[in-house]
Amino acid sequence: MLDQLKKFTFLKRKLSLPVTAIFLILSVVALWVTLNFQRNNTYYEQLKNHVGIDQSLMNKDISARISALDRMVKRWEIRGGIPEEEFIADADSFLKDYPGFQAIKWIDQDYIIRWVTPVDSNVFKQNQDLALNEGRRFALEKARLKKTPTVSAPIDLMENRKGFQIYFPLFVESRFDGFIVGALGFDDWINHVTHLNNHDNLEKELHLKHSFDYIHLEIFFDGELIYSTPNQKSNDPNLWQQEKIINLDGHRIVLQVTPTEKFFNGAESYIPEISAFAAFILALFLFYSVLLLNKSQKIAQNAKATNMAKLSFLSCISHETKTPLNKIVNTIELLQKEPSNKEQAEHLDIILQSAQKLDSTLNDVLDLSRIEAGEFKLKEEGFELIALLETILEPYKTLAKDKHLSLDVYYNFDTQLYLVGDPKRLRQILRCLVSNAIKYTDSGYVGLIVELLHSDKNASSPSQRIKFSVSDSGIGISPEKLKTIFTPFNDDQNATQNANLGLSMIHQLVHIMGGDIKVDSKEGIGSNFHLVFEFKLASKISDLPDLHSQT
């Protein structure tokens, strides 16, 4: 017993309190840095999605406008012209369908504006000779020679508004017949395209009620700022700025979005801090556990290092650690019931699983201590084997699925088999082996195989010998490590032996239950753990325990 207790001194040699404290602090910092990096990536993706949607909306809108005007051009060319009244009626209908247009015009072969609507706001435009303006004459000539729609550079429209024009050349039987022109005002057009009603899907994704409360949008046309939302950018806009470019007939339209300060005030922005704080609390308890374990060595030496003293001490550790740990678990479970997004739920699951793993490790330490102290007692009760097997793999199906592993149980009998033994400890043993197999298997399979061996059922006390095998296609174990696979806290353990504490307890549990355990393994191929137990056959099948309720 003293030899076993001395093995705990490796904690003192390899994990001194200062080193442990530094390691835990660095782990918490690393967690915060990682989560903060993920949060920033989420921000970048949200901004990129926002500007991408605006780019898509503008592309679709300008394409729809060009197609609609092109239909007017085709009617003109097919009919050899359109009467003024019909042209004005079509143009007025077009203006209603496509807000943002300031005017629709017909320009004759001499580049003089003949018809224009709406008339009231464009009365001074009629009979204007566009050939006198060098920039507009160049755009008109380009459209006539290319015989395709041409977009002008930014120009001054009516009432000191800025915009641009799209020129559609008219050809009737190869004869040039002037232009149909659409004049677009920047402010009206962009407000129509980027109106909040067009961002329903985006707002759901960003969890925003009014997206432009959170996003600042600027649009440049050939380097000239033509549109800007009235809200303010964040303090460091260049760090977060995202942009998209639209090429329109040789002109460059640049859309830039930057977050406002309100963008960073959403609840999701505190995920790294909340997670780091929870991890810090867990780290404190881990440090406290190491501190208590270090103290246990001194107490064990001063208390003659007896088995009962160690059991009493570890029971104290379990109580002192599990009480606050249970509060953490309960708090996390309450948080999981609160509304949260997918990322928050994943982080809470990670914290809960870590806390549960720590609780399981403490239980293993306590069970091992009870075994060594001779205070461990089995509980005999009746159980049905197939029902028990159905509960073994349930907790690990999700993990196996995430790792793309085949996880199955196989048995060579079809009828129910009623046995007498300790189903709780049998389940504990098999689950520990399955958990280790999944942990060290990255591809392939993990299987639990159950075989009925030959037994004398005609004896005065009929029994059944059963072989359980847990096989995997994992990393395997070297021959040198196999020699100490069931030894807890050996100095030369490596990554394949991190579960030595659990395997040592299983080894002793198997023998306490009168069974036998063997292991064979090849590095790079996999491992097989074989257990053989002999159970009494149950004389009664009534009043069996509900195995599912004991999982």
Side-chain angles (χ1 to χ4, degrees):
M1 192 63 229
L2 288 175
D3 292 336
Q4 292 291 330
L5 190 58
K6 288 179 180 177
K7 291 177 181 178
F8 281 91
T9 59
F10 87 101
L11 288 171
K12 185 174 182 179
R13 295 196 302 270
K14 295 186 177 181
L15 290 175
S16 63
L17 289 178
V19 173
T20 303
I22 292 173
F23 172 77
L24 293 175
I25 291 173
L26 291 178
S27 297
V28 173
V29 172
L31 173 65
W32 180 85
V33 170
T34 300
L35 294 178
N36 191 58
F37 177 77
Q38 293 176 350
R39 174 179 60 182
N40 290 345
N41 278 345
T42 300
Y43 288 160
Y44 283 123
E45 288 301 318
Q46 290 176 348
L47 294 169
K48 188 183 297 183
N49 289 342
H50 194 293
V51 71
I53 290 175
D54 283 338
Q55 178 197 38
S56 176
L57 290 172
M58 293 185 73
N59 271 325
K60 291 179 181 179
D61 184 82
I62 196 67
S63 295
R65 292 171 188 269
I66 290 175
S67 297
L69 283 172
D70 191 57
R71 288 193 292 271
M72 292 181 65
V73 171
K74 290 294 188 291
R75 286 199 300 272
W76 182 291
E77 293 176 342
I78 291 172
R79 296 170 58 182
I82 298 176
E84 180 179 1
E85 295 79 5
E86 184 177 342
F87 175 85
I88 296 299
D90 283 350
D92 286 339
S93 177
F94 183 85
L95 293 175
K96 292 179 181 179
D97 293 338
Y98 295 92
F101 273 110
Q102 302 298 307
I104 304 294
K105 315 170 189 176
W106 173 60
I107 300 174
D108 67 11
Q109 302 91 326
D110 298 321
Y111 302 167
I112 296 174
I113 300 174
R114 293 304 184 185
W115 303 338
V116 60
T117 187
V119 176
D120 294 342
S121 56
N122 292 278
V123 64
F124 298 107
K125 299 286 185 179
Q126 285 184 310
N127 301 319
Q128 181 180 357
D129 189 350
L130 298 183
L132 300 177
N133 184 299
E134 182 177 352
R136 299 190 185 186
R137 185 178 71 251
F138 174 79
L140 291 167
E141 288 288 345
K142 179 180 176 182
R144 182 178 66 83
L145 295 174
K146 289 177 61 179
K147 297 184 179 181
T148 58
T150 300
V151 177
S152 73
I155 60 175
D156 291 322
L157 300 176
M158 60 182 182
E159 299 176 359
N160 296 321
R161 294 186 179 183
K162 299 285 289 186
F164 66 97
Q165 299 191 119
I166 307 175
Y167 304 103
F168 290 79
L170 298 168
F171 290 90
V172 178
E173 296 181 352
S174 301
R175 173 179 57 83
F176 176 60
D177 203 23
F179 302 88
I180 290 179
V181 180
L184 268 171
F186 286 131
D187 286 342
D188 292 340
W189 172 51
I190 295 172
N191 282 331
H192 170 71
V193 173
T194 61
H195 194 271
L196 291 178
N197 289 335
N198 291 328
H199 288 74
D200 290 341
N201 294 332
L202 174 66
E203 291 172 17
K204 292 177 182 177
E205 178 183 346
L206 299 182
H207 307 288
L208 306 179
K209 294 181 178 179
H210 304 291
S211 87
F212 284 122
D213 289 341
Y214 297 78
I215 300 297
H216 179 80
L217 173 65
E218 292 182 336
I219 301 179
F220 299 84
F221 193 114
D222 288 343
E224 179 181 348
L225 179 63
I226 61 171
Y227 183 84
S228 177
T229 51
N231 50 11
Q232 297 296 318
K233 302 179 183 179
S234 64
N235 293 331
D236 194 4
N238 293 332
L239 177 64
W240 303 100
Q241 180 175 288
Q242 298 289 322
E243 70 176 35
K244 291 286 186 179
I245 299 173
I246 299 174
N247 291 308
L248 184 61
D249 189 34
H251 299 283
R252 182 183 173 93
I253 300 177
V254 179
L255 292 80
Q256 292 181 351
V257 297
T258 52
T260 64
E261 288 300 323
K262 193 173 182 179
F263 178 87
F264 298 104
N265 294 333
E268 66 273 16
S269 65
Y270 296 103
I271 291 175
E273 288 76 12
I274 294 173
S275 300
F277 176 75
F280 176 72
I281 298 299
L282 287 175
L284 285 179
F285 284 110
L286 287 172
F287 178 77
Y288 182 60
S289 299
V290 173
L291 177 63
L292 291 176
L293 286 173
N294 279 327
K295 288 182 178 181
S296 71
Q297 298 164 50
K298 296 179 182 180
I299 294 174
Q301 293 170 1
N302 296 332
K304 301 179 182 181
T306 63
N307 290 334
M308 292 303 298
K310 186 177 73 171
L311 175 59
S312 176
F313 179 72
L314 290 178
S315 296
C316 177
I317 289 179
S318 176
H319 174 75
E320 291 295 329
T321 306
K322 287 170 67 69
T323 298
L325 186 60
N326 288 336
K327 293 181 179 179
I328 292 177
V329 172
N330 292 337
T331 302
I332 295 173
E333 290 175 344
L334 288 175
L335 287 174
Q336 288 181 319
K337 296 179 181 178
E338 297 293 329
S340 61
N341 58 36
K342 181 178 179 182
E343 186 178 7
Q344 288 173 317
E346 289 175 353
H347 291 314
L348 289 174
D349 285 341
I350 291 172
I351 297 170
L352 181 59
Q353 291 170 11
S354 299
Q356 291 172 339
K357 178 62 177 175
L358 177 59
D359 182 61
S360 176
T361 301
L362 289 172
N363 289 334
D364 287 347
V365 171
L366 197 55
D367 282 345
L368 182 61
S369 176
R370 286 177 179 148
I371 291 172
E372 293 175 344
E375 294 293 316
F376 192 90
K377 294 182 181 180
L378 295 175
K379 181 179 180 181
E380 281 202 351
E381 60 185 18
F383 65 97
E384 200 284 305
L385 183 57
I386 294 179
L388 181 137
L389 294 177
E390 291 177 351
T391 68
I392 301 297
L393 304 184
E394 191 63 31
Y396 308 106
K397 288 182 178 179
T398 300
L399 178 59
K401 183 179 179 181
D402 291 342
K403 298 183 73 174
H404 305 289
L405 299 177
S406 171
L407 179 64
D408 293 294
V409 59
Y410 309 92
Y411 41 86
N412 65 347
F413 51 96
D414 298 326
T415 59
Q416 293 179 318
L417 187 61
Y418 298 95
L419 307 171
V420 175
D422 192 332
K424 178 180 179 182
R425 295 305 174 184
L426 178 59
R427 183 192 298 108
Q428 179 182 1
I429 292 170
L430 295 177
R431 280 187 175 176
C432 181
L433 294 176
V434 170
S435 175
N436 288 343
I438 294 175
K439 182 177 182 181
Y440 298 115
T441 301
D442 294 325
S443 63
Y445 69 92
V446 172
L448 170 60
I449 305 169
V450 185
E451 304 173 72
L452 300 184
L453 304 180
H454 176 72
S455 301
D456 185 6
K457 299 182 180 180
N458 295 322
S460 57
S461 298
S463 62
Q464 176 66 59
R465 294 177 67 243
I466 304 175
K467 180 180 179 181
F468 300 85
S469 299
V470 177
S471 302
D472 65 70
S473 57
I475 59 178
I477 308 170
S478 68
E480 294 78 16
K481 302 305 178 184
L482 280 175
K483 297 176 182 179
T484 58
I485 190 67
F486 297 118
T487 304
F489 305 125
N490 56 81
D491 290 339
D492 61 345
Q493 69 183 37
N494 63 9
T496 67
Q497 293 175 303
N498 289 337
N500 274 30
L501 176 61
L503 290 177
S504 175
M505 182 187 65
I506 284 176
H507 184 259
Q508 297 188 56
L509 266 178
V510 169
H511 287 91
I512 290 174
M513 295 172 66
D516 186 35
I517 181 169
K518 295 180 181 179
V519 57
D520 58 81
S521 179
K522 291 185 179 180
E523 288 186 281
I525 296 179
S527 303
N528 300 283
F529 286 80
H530 306 287
L531 306 95
V532 177
F533 294 100
E534 186 167 359
F535 295 99
K536 295 179 183 178
L537 293 174
S539 58
K540 296 181 179 180
I541 63 174
S542 60
D543 300 325
L544 291 178
D546 184 358
L547 295 175
H548 289 277
S549 67
Q550 300 177 13
T551 59

